[in-house]
Amino acid sequence: MSRNGMDSEKVRAALRVYFIAGSQDCLQNPVDVLKQALAGGITMFQFREKGKAARTGEQKLELAKELQALCQSYGVPFIVNDDLELALALDADGVHVGQEDELASVVRERMGPDKILGVSAHTAQEARQAMADGADYIGVGPIFPTQSKADAKEVKGPEGIIEFRQSGIQLPIVGIGGITLDNAHLVMQAGADGVSVISAITHATSIEESAKRFSHITSGNGIL
Ligand SMILES: C=C1C=NC(C(F)(F)F)=NC1=N
Ligand SMILES: [Mg+2]
C-alpha cells in the first residue's frame, strides 16, 4: 500500500545517513556539529533535544531554527523528534514519534500528507499499525547496545531487521542503536534502507570524516 504524499523512494534515499542529535549529544556548539555533518554528506537530520540538560522554550526554538536553516541550505530534510507543536511552529519537514509519544495517526492528521512521519517500531505488528497510521518510515532498534538512549529496549541485532523483512514489511526502515562505522554494513545487509547515528558522529574525532564514511558505507549497491 503506497501512501499518497512523500514519495517512498525519496524517503528511502533520505534515510541512508540519518544523523540524530540534540545539544546533549554534542561536545561543541550543536550548530558547528551539524555544519560538519552536513558537509560530510548526511542525508537527513533529526533534532532530538532530550535529557536533563536539554534546552526548553525560547532557547530550544532558537536552536531548532538555526539547525533547520542549515539543513535547508543543504536541501537535507529537518525532522523534529517527539515535539509536534515545535515541528508545526517551524514548518519542519517532518516528525518522529515513539510508541509512547503522540499517536502517529494524530501527527499525520496535524502535519498533512506531504510531511515525513517516522515511527519507532519494535514488532512487525507495530510496523503494520504505523503504516496504517500513515508512517513514511519506521525506526527499528536498538540494533546494538547504545549509550544515547537511557530507556532503550532489548538489543535486537541486525536479525531484528531481517525478521521485519521476512514478515513482509516493505516500508522504508532505518536501523538505530549503537551503529558505528564498523557495524553499519551489517544493518544495510540485513535489509535496512539506512542507518541512524548519534554518537558515532557527534563524538567522532572528525565529524565530517565520520559522516563521509557512513555515506560511503551505505551507498554500496549491495555488492561487497
Ligand atoms: C527513538 C527513536 C527511534 N528511531 C528513530 C529513527 F531513527 F529516526 F527512526 N528516532 C528516534 N528518536
Ligand atoms: Mg520519543
Side-chain angles (χ1 to χ4, degrees):
M1 174 188 82
S2 73
R3 201 179 65 73
N4 300 334
M6 196 72 190
D7 172 71
S8 80
E9 288 322 304
K10 264 179 75 179
V11 170
R12 283 184 207 285
L15 288 174
R16 221 162 41 73
V17 184
Y18 190 0
F19 177 43
I20 299 181
S23 53
Q24 74 278 3
D25 302 300
C26 298
L27 306 177
Q28 56 188 288
N29 181 331
V31 175
D32 295 328
V33 170
L34 183 55
K35 273 180 191 160
Q36 295 162 66
L38 285 163
I42 60 167
T43 52
M44 185 144 72
F45 174 68
Q46 179 187 129
F47 178 54
R48 177 176 174 271
E49 191 69 7
K50 278 201 113 154
K52 57 189 181 309
R55 300 192 191 188
T56 54
E58 201 53 35
Q59 286 231 326
K60 179 178 179 182
L61 177 65
E62 286 316 308
L63 174 59
K65 281 180 182 172
E66 278 192 85
L67 301 178
Q68 180 183 28
L70 278 177
C71 288
Q72 284 171 335
S73 68
Y74 275 83
V76 164
F78 174 82
I79 306 297
V80 174
N81 182 52
D82 289 355
D83 192 339
L84 174 59
E85 297 314 320
L86 176 64
L88 294 171
L90 292 168
D91 191 27
D93 297 302
V95 168
H96 184 90
V97 287
Q99 292 294 321
E100 332 67 56
D101 298 312
E102 185 83 63
L103 272 181
S105 53
V106 169
V107 175
R108 172 54 73 202
E109 180 61 33
R110 297 278 307 277
M111 282 200 307
D114 298 328
K115 298 292 185 181
I116 298 172
L117 170 59
V119 179
S120 303
H122 304 94
T123 64
Q125 180 46 39
E126 284 180 358
R128 280 188 281 274
Q129 183 59 52
M131 195 155 72
D133 291 342
D136 292 295
Y137 73 82
I138 50 171
V140 174
I143 305 299
F144 306 106
T146 175
Q147 311 299 324
S148 302
K149 184 176 172 64
D151 58 343
K153 294 191 184 293
E154 87 291 339
V155 171
K156 288 184 174 305
E159 307 71 57
I161 292 172
I162 295 172
E163 280 159 24
F164 271 71
R165 292 303 190 202
Q166 286 176 339
S167 311
I169 303 299
Q170 294 179 343
L171 201 63
I173 292 178
V174 65
I176 186 166
I179 298 177
T180 66
L181 289 169
D182 295 330
N183 62 31
H185 66 289
L186 299 173
V187 180
M188 301 304 285
Q189 284 167 10
D193 295 284
V195 294
S196 282
V197 178
I198 301 181
S199 57
I201 289 179
T202 60
H203 296 173
T205 313
S206 162
I207 289 174
E208 180 172 347
E209 189 54 36
S210 175
K212 208 170 278 180
R213 290 187 188 168
F214 275 114
S215 183
H216 177 72
I217 292 166
T218 58
S219 57
N221 48 16
I223 299 165
L224 284 178

